[in-house]
Amino acid sequence: MTPAEMLLQELGVTDPGEIDLEAIAHHVGARVRYRALCGCEAHILGCNGAAVITIKNDSSPRRKRFSIAHELGHWRFHRGKALVCRVDDYKPRDALSPEKVADSYAADLLMPRYLFQPQARGLGKLTFDMVDKLGRIFKTSLTATSIRLIDLDHVPAFVICHGPRGRKWFARAACVPRHWFPREDLDSDSFAFGVQFGRRPDDPAPRKIDADAWFDRPDASRFVVREQTVRISEDETLSLVIVEDERMLEG
Amino acid sequence: MSDPEDTKAGLRRLKQAMVDDVLKASDQEVLAQFAEDLGSAEANAKHMREAFEKTILLANKDRLHSARAGVAAGKVPSSAPAIPIAEARARLRQVLAAHADDETFTLAARKESELTDADVLDMLEAMRDLGLIE
């Protein structure tokens, strides 16, 4: 169990609705307040065992929750340090930077495995509709919830974010071999291409597509994957690429 | 009719004999007996462990309730005195410099130079709340 999950258990949290971040902060000596911040989403200032977490008051409720959880991550792991940082949208980060550590803590606090996995299993196949339902239960964004599902190896799949200039980041389930690496740029055969550049509407469900639309490998054309793409902001799309052919999972 | 005291003494002897029986038995014999009477010992142990963990979790909810009460009690608006922004920035830089090597001081925020005036005033308010400045 991770430190965030242990903290939730210490508080007897047995239901996602009980993940009360202000109460959790209070329990660890931090007070949360909301202000009209302009230069950043949130910050934490602490001295000895007490801290003040300040959150931008006009952010969305889910964004505020993520920011509090992220700052609690700093409070847990970076006490006694002065970090120059910013709270970005939750996305996979490469190195074990303080921001990555705080993000991981936030994911564990907002979507603890012992509550998240049973709920995810109960919602059936991986689709953005399923991710949205899960996000409503845990009050987390579509992006954060998708990454959590992939990170917990719920299904052999990828979640990939694209902008107008190509791939911005991706997360891959641990059960998918690392040689399956998504293309840098969107292939015109992918459904995502139409959503990203053609202003096509979101895909209502994952659809079958040749794997070479997503992976630049000589053997990719032998396989079929499922893809679903939705728009998440003015210039960004999020795609689920689901591996169903077990031969793709062989190392 | 038998004497109640004799009955009690008999029951005590029976209980002791049963305890002795259990204590004399090997682990395998105890497990075999358990399986015969109640089924899988492993499944039962898992069930008991889950029940135990659930009880602990439920008992811990008191902490969550008191933390919620603490949050509600601590909701008091703070009033910050008006201060010229140049002075506020200088004050902030001064406090940050004073705590640069302080291991009890924690900060995760943007650089002072990247903070807007409102953010600087807000940071000073947080410092006041924590007793770092008067």
Side-chain angles (χ1 to χ4, degrees):
Chain A
M1 203 171 283
T2 65
E5 289 163 342
M6 283 195 276
L7 175 59
L8 291 170
Q9 298 236 325
E10 193 178 306
L11 289 164
V13 171
T14 51
D15 182 274
E18 290 177 331
I19 305 175
D20 180 337
L21 293 170
E22 287 193 38
I24 292 167
H26 184 275
H27 182 70
V28 296
R31 192 161 68 81
V32 179
R33 52 191 207 144
Y34 300 90
R35 296 288 185 273
L37 296 181
C38 307
C40 63
E41 280 291 326
H43 57 71
I44 183 168
L45 183 68
C47 187
N48 295 312
V52 172
I53 293 173
T54 308
I55 303 293
K56 191 176 178 183
N57 61 6
D58 56 358
S59 295
S60 72
R62 291 184 192 195
R63 179 62 192 245
K64 284 180 190 165
R65 279 175 67 78
F66 177 74
S67 295
I68 298 172
H70 176 97
E71 297 304 332
L72 286 173
H74 284 310
W75 187 231
R76 168 66 177 76
F77 288 105
H78 308 124
R79 220 177 268 206
K81 291 180 182 161
L83 304 169
V84 175
C85 72
R86 55 184 300 171
V87 184
D88 278 328
D89 287 326
Y90 183 50
K91 62 187 176 195
R93 298 175 204 254
D94 293 334
L96 267 181
S97 65
E99 296 311 296
K100 166 74 181 167
V101 170
D103 276 355
S104 297
Y105 185 88
D108 287 341
L109 198 60
L110 296 169
M111 297 168 276
R113 265 173 293 192
Y114 72 96
L115 297 178
F116 190 80
Q117 283 177 320
Q119 293 276 359
R121 279 195 288 268
L123 287 173
K125 287 193 171 176
L126 178 63
T127 65
F128 276 123
D129 188 44
M130 176 265 197
V131 176
D132 181 56
K133 281 180 186 152
L134 205 50
R136 284 171 198 271
I137 294 169
F138 288 90
K139 301 184 195 119
T140 44
S141 70
L142 195 73
T143 304
T145 316
S146 308
I147 296 170
R148 187 64 166 164
L149 278 164
I150 298 298
D151 282 350
L152 293 181
D153 219 9
H154 178 70
V155 170
F158 295 76
V159 58
I160 308 166
C161 178
H162 278 91
R165 281 186 237 160
R167 194 185 69 226
K168 294 182 108 172
W169 55 261
F170 75 94
R172 172 178 42 215
C175 61
V176 180
R178 295 176 71 87
H179 58 248
W180 291 106
F181 204 91
R183 287 176 181 275
E184 194 78 33
D185 294 313
L186 279 176
D187 188 285
S188 59
D189 287 338
S190 67
F191 305 130
F193 191 89
V195 181
Q196 179 72 48
F197 299 110
R199 292 275 152 190
R200 273 200 28 235
D202 294 349
D203 290 329
R207 290 184 285 163
K208 284 187 176 177
I209 186 166
D210 289 339
D212 57 1
W214 281 94
F215 305 102
D216 186 16
R217 277 175 57 91
D219 58 344
S221 58
R222 291 167 42 212
F223 304 107
V224 169
V225 292
R226 277 184 190 271
E227 178 208 324
Q228 183 181 14
T229 297
V230 295
R231 177 169 296 283
I232 52 167
S233 70
E234 185 54 32
D235 62 352
E236 285 180 334
T237 52
L238 199 62
S239 302
L240 286 174
V241 176
I242 304 159
V243 176
E244 291 181 326
D245 191 323
E246 294 204 350
R247 293 174 299 165
M248 284 181 74
L249 304 178
E250 291 164 5
Chain B
M1 219 169 136
S2 61
D3 182 343
E5 282 309 310
D6 283 352
T7 309
K8 277 187 192 168
L11 283 172
R12 271 197 297 275
R13 283 195 298 276
L14 178 62
K15 185 179 84 178
Q16 191 56 50
M18 289 169 81
V19 169
D20 288 346
D21 241 18
V22 172
L23 292 178
K24 272 185 215 159
S26 67
D27 289 352
Q28 286 75 13
E29 283 170 329
V30 172
L31 286 172
Q33 187 65 51
F34 188 95
E36 195 182 313
D37 297 343
L38 298 163
S40 162
E42 266 181 32
N44 194 273
K46 184 171 177 276
H47 175 71
M48 291 305 290
R49 200 163 33 244
E50 283 169 358
F52 185 66
E53 283 166 3
K54 196 174 171 188
T55 307
I56 292 175
L57 263 176
L58 291 175
N60 287 352
K61 278 192 196 299
D62 284 348
R63 292 184 183 142
L64 182 63
H65 297 147
S66 57
R68 279 177 170 159
V71 171
K75 294 250 185 231
V76 277
S78 63
S79 54
I83 177 171
I85 192 62
E87 192 183 322
R89 283 191 180 274
R91 194 127 188 232
L92 180 61
R93 279 195 295 271
Q94 191 184 15
V95 178
L96 294 177
H99 292 277
D101 299 316
D102 181 354
E103 288 186 359
T104 67
F105 185 76
T106 306
L107 177 69
R110 291 240 177 130
K111 281 189 278 189
E112 182 272 322
S113 58
E114 291 177 357
L115 295 175
T116 64
D117 292 349
D119 293 347
V120 169
L121 294 173
D122 168 74
M123 189 79 84
L124 284 175
E125 187 191 330
M127 287 178 168
R128 211 170 286 118
D129 284 357
L130 289 169
L132 287 165
I133 54 173
E134 288 183 0

